[in-house]
Amino acid sequence: MADYFVARGIPVPAELRRTPLTDWRRWGTIALSLLVVYIGLRITDIDISRANPEYASGVLLSLFRWDFSILFPQNQFETFWDAGLGLMIVTIFLGIIATVFAVLISLPLSFLGARNIMTGHPLTAAVYGAIRILFTIIRSIDVLIVVILFSIIFGLGSAAGVFGLAFHNIGVLGKLYSEAIEGIDPGPGEAITATGANRFQVIWTAMIPQIVNPFISFTIYRLDTNVRLAPIIGLVGGGGIGVLLFQTVNLFEYPKAGVIIFMIVVTVATMDFISAQIRKQLV
Amino acid sequence: MLPAVPRILTIQDLAKIYPGGTKALDGISLDVERGEFVVLIGLSGSGKSTLLRCVNRLVEPTSGRVIFDGIDVTAASGDELRRIRRRIGMIFQQFNLVRRVSVFANVLSGRLGYRPLWRTVAFRPSREDVALAFENLQRVGILEKAFARADALSGGQQQRVGIARALMQRPELMLADEPVASLDPATSHSVMKYLEEINQKDGITVICSLHFLSLARRYGTRVVALKAGQIAFDGDPEAIDERRFREIYGEDAVEVEIGPERHRDARELVAAAARVADPAAVDPDLPPDR
């Protein structure tokens, strides 16, 4: 491209001039990437010699010899809610309840974490900063770690699962909501302020209508994610279908585990589909 | 002899320096009488928007005073400021309607400054407010669109909703920040005529910033030109001749007419624009490419 300028005697734009520095950066980046992969392979000791294809294929096949008895009570001591189907329903509601708790707390907090609402006064600006840092810290603790920590407080079971999931989601939803508020058009707020409305009326009349749809969209997205996460938190003591899955795998009851995995896949796929459809309507 | 009622607006030595050092207003002093239709002209960045926004304190002036109907706006705060604001209507270049809600709800929101908080929260406007909203919508000719979503309307219709919203305040002063800069010439006239009507019939004082000098001559009773945050001209619209025009807009500027009511051929406009010797020269009468 630079020859166009050279041929006409026009100075070549700096962007087109090749310098040793840009070349050096490019090769340096490639070399560094390769080095990281090499070191990674050396120190992680990835060993595939222990793989046992015959045993694995046997297990995989048995996962598909579905034993549906796990879905229903197997003796007079179990109720419907102790068996697979009941626990799946419980798990879906774990995800829903966790989302509700998270929304209830993150919704008011998100207004305090929105720059366009909190500017203007040093105190409110400080609150804004604190809330956003809080969201980031909460969000950076993975949900499995949170559930393990909460199971120390609440013991193994649904409480640890729900509160752990909700806690993590306060960070996620808080950030999503806050950014939705920050993304709104400031014009209507300015116009409503000019009519002599107070701050609350401005937020209520000019801002809320602009954020309702993004808020619903984000909430459904997190609901979907939480129902997807709910079976997993059972594995670390959060209650629900995950506990049963863990038990069947430990007891080598692969045909039963296969049914549970299939049931989870169907549930998650259904949620995913419904959530996508609803959010498409909201755009 | 002293006037019986205080002057509608007095601006004394007003200055605004934005954070970052931009001097938007540099010592503006201006008296506006009741019933005037003042047109603000000047290049983009000359301080027109800032001046209008300092009047109702959407922008906080750095120094100077704004006195509205004998009340010091610059000294007011809280409830007092809101009581002043509700007597001053404002319309905007981008209309600034809440796009997702109905035209009716937008017009009603002009009444917020008079409304108790619970009515806002419960969406329960009073019977009088509802009647007033319909009345104002009828006045700007879009009553049949009352329950359409605001963003379903054309630009000209949205600006009329903006006017109806401002009229809800029963304002004594109307600020208009480039109300027709986003509209085509024909629609511009229809919007300007509503401003003219509220000025002449209701006696509402209007301060309106405009890009088109031809519109300024047609509608203004007085033109105030700003240049670099100072007043470069203040007087009769007809007094702006070519020399004054160049003083306001710069040496390279050429005035481009935009057809007043009788519609000019679009080609004529393009030809006029092409006559500008240096295309990079700022041409105030071409619509801004926002």
Side-chain angles (χ1 to χ4, degrees):
Chain A
M1 278 189 283
D3 45 353
Y4 178 92
F5 296 90
V6 175
R8 284 157 186 80
I10 315 167
V12 180
E15 289 82 357
L16 288 181
R17 250 177 266 142
R18 291 173 68 84
T19 63
L21 186 64
T22 55
D23 283 353
W24 182 85
R25 279 188 195 147
R26 182 176 302 161
W27 289 113
T29 309
I30 293 171
L32 191 67
S33 308
L34 290 175
L35 189 67
V36 168
V37 173
Y38 174 74
I39 294 173
L41 287 173
R42 285 298 297 271
I43 67 170
T44 50
D45 184 28
I46 297 169
D47 182 6
I48 56 167
S49 66
R50 284 187 293 250
N52 185 340
E54 283 137 56
Y55 174 74
S57 59
V59 169
L60 281 176
L61 278 177
S62 64
L63 278 176
F64 287 96
R65 276 195 293 275
W66 290 338
D67 177 358
F68 288 100
S69 68
I70 190 73
L71 295 183
F72 304 102
Q74 289 170 329
N75 53 52
Q76 72 266 38
F77 303 112
E78 284 188 352
T79 67
F80 173 76
W81 299 107
D82 298 319
L85 208 54
L87 278 174
M88 188 69 238
I89 296 169
V90 168
T91 307
I92 294 171
F93 278 98
L94 285 183
I96 294 173
I97 296 296
T99 312
V100 171
F101 285 164
V103 168
L104 287 180
I105 295 171
S106 58
L107 196 66
L109 285 183
S110 65
F111 284 85
L112 301 178
R115 185 191 297 272
N116 49 347
I117 288 187
M118 301 300 282
T119 47
H121 192 277
L123 186 70
T124 56
V127 172
Y128 157 79
I131 295 281
R132 287 307 277 265
I133 291 170
L134 183 72
F135 285 159
T136 307
I137 292 172
I138 292 176
R139 212 169 51 244
S140 62
I141 311 171
D142 190 85
V143 67
L144 290 183
I145 297 168
V146 181
V147 172
I148 292 171
L149 292 177
F150 273 63
S151 68
I152 299 168
I153 304 170
F154 298 104
L156 298 179
S158 298
V162 165
F163 291 132
L165 204 49
F167 182 80
H168 179 74
N169 275 280
I170 290 169
V172 179
L173 278 175
K175 176 185 150 74
L176 289 174
Y177 288 165
S178 297
E179 285 176 355
I181 298 171
E182 286 175 358
I184 65 173
D185 175 11
E190 190 183 32
I192 303 290
T193 305
T195 67
N198 64 34
R199 193 115 184 88
F200 181 84
Q201 287 173 317
V202 172
I203 293 174
W204 191 262
T205 314
M207 291 184 166
I208 300 284
Q210 295 190 62
I211 57 178
V212 168
N213 278 14
F215 272 36
I216 294 174
S217 179
F218 287 138
T219 307
I220 291 171
Y221 158 68
R222 283 318 292 182
L223 180 68
D224 171 24
T225 315
N226 288 341
V227 172
R228 186 193 306 254
L229 282 171
I232 316 289
I233 60 171
L235 298 178
V236 292
I241 191 85
V243 181
L244 191 64
L245 178 61
F246 202 46
Q247 284 170 4
T248 54
V249 171
N250 282 347
L251 295 171
F252 307 110
E253 296 177 322
Y254 295 120
K256 291 177 177 172
V259 169
I260 296 173
I261 292 169
F262 177 69
M263 194 163 58
I264 293 171
V265 169
V266 169
T267 308
V268 168
T270 310
M271 282 299 296
D272 192 73
F273 177 77
I274 296 172
S275 141
Q277 292 303 311
I278 297 175
R279 283 185 288 135
K280 204 154 65 179
Q281 299 291 318
L282 287 171
V283 171
Chain B
M1 197 179 81
L2 286 168
V5 281
R7 187 177 277 131
I8 187 83
L9 189 69
T10 301
I11 294 170
Q12 292 171 349
D13 205 25
L14 196 69
K16 171 66 187 177
I17 301 167
Y18 282 106
T22 312
K23 206 177 225 183
L25 298 178
D26 187 10
I28 300 274
S29 291
L30 192 66
D31 288 326
V32 179
E33 304 295 338
R34 280 171 205 276
E36 278 194 293
F37 195 119
V38 180
V39 174
L40 286 179
I41 58 169
L43 291 171
S44 299
S46 60
K48 304 189 296 289
S49 281
T50 305
L51 178 59
L52 287 170
R53 281 169 168 72
C54 280
V55 171
N56 59 5
R57 293 257 308 272
L58 286 181
V59 166
E60 206 61 48
T62 309
S63 65
R65 292 216 300 169
V66 174
I67 295 155
F68 169 76
D69 190 31
I71 312 162
D72 190 343
V73 182
T74 31
S77 63
D79 275 345
E80 195 190 359
L81 178 61
R82 286 193 287 274
R83 276 196 298 275
I84 297 168
R85 275 180 179 157
R86 68 186 191 184
R87 297 169 63 192
I88 305 175
M90 187 162 190
I91 60 173
F92 303 83
Q93 179 183 352
Q94 298 301 333
F95 324 129
N96 287 358
L97 304 180
V98 184
R99 300 172 60 83
R100 307 196 66 97
V101 305
S102 70
V103 166
F104 178 71
N106 268 288
V107 174
L108 266 181
S109 69
R111 206 75 197 142
L112 283 174
Y114 294 88
R115 205 191 279 175
L117 197 57
W118 72 268
R119 284 200 186 273
T120 312
V121 177
F123 299 111
R124 285 283 174 276
S126 69
R127 197 178 285 272
E128 304 86 74
D129 285 358
V130 171
L132 189 59
F134 286 137
E135 195 182 301
N136 283 322
L137 273 172
Q138 192 162 22
R139 185 144 185 215
V140 295
I142 38 177
L143 184 59
E144 76 281 2
K145 298 275 187 190
F147 297 102
R149 254 174 65 151
D151 55 6
L153 270 57
S154 69
Q157 290 172 328
Q158 289 194 37
Q159 192 59 289
R160 279 142 72 188
V161 176
I163 294 174
R165 174 172 65 189
L167 285 176
M168 290 296 285
Q169 299 168 237
R170 298 191 197 278
E172 291 148 64
L173 174 65
M174 179 75 103
L175 307 173
D177 182 23
E178 306 211 358
V180 297
S182 304
L183 304 174
D184 63 65
T187 318
S188 295
H189 276 296
S190 87
V191 166
M192 289 306 295
K193 277 181 176 164
Y194 283 109
L195 284 181
E196 186 177 46
E197 188 193 298
I198 64 165
N199 174 246
Q200 292 177 353
K201 281 196 186 156
D202 305 24
I204 298 172
T205 312
V206 177
I207 305 178
C208 174
S209 63
L210 289 174
H211 264 297
F212 289 88
L213 197 53
S214 54
L215 288 178
R217 289 204 186 95
R218 161 72 181 77
Y219 294 99
T221 60
R222 174 182 173 191
V223 169
V224 173
L226 295 186
K227 189 177 183 181
Q230 293 178 327
I231 292 179
F233 172 85
D234 182 355
D236 188 61
E238 299 304 327
I240 300 181
D241 52 21
E242 198 169 324
R243 188 182 58 82
R244 286 229 164 84
F245 181 83
R246 282 175 197 277
E247 274 173 20
I248 298 163
Y249 286 109
E251 282 305 314
D252 293 329
V254 173
E255 192 189 344
V256 182
E257 282 270 320
I258 188 145
E261 284 136 302
R262 59 190 153 82
H263 294 297
R264 282 192 166 218
D265 199 314
R267 268 174 300 174
E268 210 176 320
L269 278 175
V270 175
R275 280 199 295 275
V276 180
D278 176 9
V282 193
D283 188 350
D285 261 359
L286 284 177
D289 48 351
R290 282 204 203 162

